[in-house]
Amino acid sequence: MFVKSFPEVAADPGVRRQVLSDSPELMVVAFRFRETGAQGKLHNHPHAQSTYVESGRFRFSIDGQEFEVGPGDSFVIPSRAMHGCVCIEPGTLIDTFTPRRDDFL
């Protein structure tokens, strides 16, 4: 089957997560930040991650370097890099992981 539906679940306070598509090699996930100040807590993982800002504004930290992003911006987070973000203006991030994040299923 090519099309699957995944539920939206709580990720962090003020943040909802929904897997959009997946395969063993790749996963696409929407993170919906509903309120200013909501955070994607600092963490790392073995997956390479690409993030696209669909809407909103965010302050990211990757291995101690901070920067702000808005709609249309995208960037790559290397495997094992410590990273997190703070929502400046509510919106949605679209993250792609390789390989798939089995902990999200």
Side-chain angles (χ1 to χ4, degrees):
M1 175 175 226
F2 292 101
V3 178
K4 300 180 198 174
S5 293
F6 298 91
E8 188 176 87
V9 299
D12 286 311
V15 183
R16 306 283 295 172
R17 176 183 78 221
Q18 184 178 23
V19 173
L20 301 177
S21 60
D22 81 306
S23 73
E25 303 82 20
L26 182 69
M27 175 179 268
V28 181
V29 181
F31 286 88
R32 296 179 180 99
F33 288 74
R34 310 254 169 148
E35 56 194 52
T36 300
Q39 297 182 36
K41 295 178 185 160
L42 280 175
H43 66 287
N44 68 6
H45 43 72
H47 314 83
Q49 174 180 336
S50 175
T51 295
Y52 170 76
V53 183
E54 180 179 271
S55 60
R57 293 204 60 79
F58 301 86
R59 183 179 319 103
F60 267 83
S61 173
I62 301 176
D63 281 342
Q65 294 185 2
E66 291 193 356
F67 57 96
E68 287 188 16
V69 292
D73 290 336
S74 63
F75 52 94
V76 171
I77 301 170
S79 172
R80 305 243 183 252
M82 186 63 71
H83 62 283
C85 70
V86 176
C87 178
I88 299 168
E89 178 183 306
T92 300
L93 300 174
I94 304 296
D95 289 345
T96 303
F97 300 94
T98 183
R100 169 178 63 202
R101 294 233 8 203
D102 290 333
D103 56 323
F104 285 0
L105 294 176

